[in-house]
Amino acid sequence: MKGSGRAFCAGGDIVSLYHMINAGKMEDCKEFFRTLYTYIYILGTCLKPHVFATPETLIGFHPDAGVSFFLSHLPGQLGEYLGLTVEKLNGAEMISCGLATHYAHSSKLALIEEQLGKLDTDDPSVIENSLEKYSDLVCLDNISVLHRIEILDKCFSHDTVEEIIDSLESETSKTSDAWCISTLRRLKEASPLGLKVSLKSIREGRFQTLDQCLIREYRMSLQGISNQISRDF
């Protein structure tokens, strides 16, 4: 599994879905999600790497493909922050919060691919040992959001999106903090319904297994593209 550009998925599937919805081809849309979630489930039960999708509040959607499970298990309220703001994490941050296990400089990727391609095993410990040989140590940038966990937890621990926004606005008025200002802007650019659905999804993910999250997200995805509740997607 390898992307051909700067990202593994560049959103072409979303464009196709959008055109299918406008053409009234809802059965084709449902088939897309049935295939996607079946694929993810097979990966999960075979101990293969899980698919990790980008939270999609900016396009009127929700963190899907099992992401509500992963986000809900991050430290503190980091999952809520990432899911609602669509903020990105770099390699060092992925390692620090437990979303990734190994980090290597891009110059080593060809060698890593070659070595993994020679492995004739599905033993996780053998794969781990192979990756360890080429891993680099990383440290967080001074501007990393992970240095702001205290204020992040304070603002994103509230029960509703409105309360989260109020908390950020309160902090902004007191400190004029650049991070608070940027975070507020991101929230106000997103779909209001997408924010509410995503917040509830992540909170429910804390008390569900990955399988339960996938089943729930699959149903949410079908509702999200139905245009019956909202046309934000």
Side-chain angles (χ1 to χ4, degrees):
M1 294 171 61
K2 183 180 178 183
S4 60
R6 65 183 177 87
F8 180 72
C9 173
D13 53 344
I14 299 300
V15 175
S16 297
L17 275 172
Y18 177 76
H19 290 314
M20 284 191 285
I21 291 169
N22 286 342
K25 299 179 179 179
M26 293 308 297
E27 284 305 314
D28 290 343
C29 294
K30 292 178 181 178
E31 181 60 30
F32 168 85
F33 280 108
R34 278 194 291 269
T35 303
L36 172 64
Y37 279 85
T38 299
Y39 175 64
I40 294 167
Y41 179 76
I42 291 171
L43 284 176
T45 55
C46 291
L47 297 179
K48 301 291 185 184
H50 299 303
V51 174
F52 195 89
T54 304
E56 302 289 6
T57 55
L58 283 179
I59 59 170
F61 211 51
H62 63 95
D64 65 335
V67 177
S68 68
F69 175 83
F70 293 103
L71 291 180
S72 68
H73 288 76
L74 293 181
Q77 311 299 312
L78 182 61
E80 282 90 333
Y81 166 76
L82 294 174
L84 300 187
T85 64
V86 200
E87 187 56 86
K88 300 179 180 68
L89 295 182
N90 62 29
E93 291 168 327
M94 295 280 281
I95 292 287
S96 296
C97 71
L99 280 174
T101 58
H102 296 80
Y103 178 96
H105 191 270
S106 57
S107 62
K108 298 181 181 179
L109 292 183
L111 182 59
I112 292 173
E113 286 183 24
E114 180 184 354
Q115 294 302 311
L116 290 178
K118 293 178 180 178
L119 295 181
D120 186 18
T121 180
D122 59 2
D123 184 342
S125 64
V126 176
I127 299 169
E128 284 268 332
N129 290 335
S130 180
L131 290 172
E132 284 288 349
K133 295 177 183 178
Y134 307 102
S135 293
D136 295 309
L137 294 176
V138 292
C139 58
L140 294 172
D141 297 332
N142 292 332
I143 61 172
S144 171
V145 69
L146 297 183
H147 292 308
R148 294 180 169 274
I149 285 296
E150 186 175 342
I151 187 172
L152 186 155
D153 285 351
K154 177 183 177 181
C155 293
F156 282 83
S157 61
H158 295 286
D159 293 335
T160 67
V161 173
E162 288 86 354
E163 289 173 314
I164 290 172
I165 290 175
D166 286 345
S167 181
L168 284 165
E169 288 180 334
S170 175
E171 291 295 326
T172 300
S173 66
K174 289 186 293 186
T175 64
S176 297
D177 183 81
W179 177 82
C180 290
I181 294 171
S182 173
T183 302
L184 268 173
R185 185 180 69 250
R186 282 179 168 274
L187 292 178
K188 292 180 179 181
E189 289 173 349
S191 156
L193 181 60
L195 291 173
K196 291 174 179 290
V197 170
S198 298
L199 180 63
K200 185 172 180 62
S201 178
I202 294 166
R203 297 268 164 90
E204 288 192 3
R206 286 200 171 93
F207 306 98
Q208 295 179 324
T209 64
L210 175 60
D211 286 359
Q212 289 172 326
C213 286
L214 286 170
I215 292 169
R216 174 176 50 76
E217 291 173 12
Y218 169 67
R219 293 170 177 162
M220 291 167 60
S221 296
L222 295 185
Q223 288 287 345
I225 64 171
S226 69
N227 283 341
Q228 295 177 358
I229 300 171
S230 166
R231 300 187 68 87
D232 278 4
F233 178 71

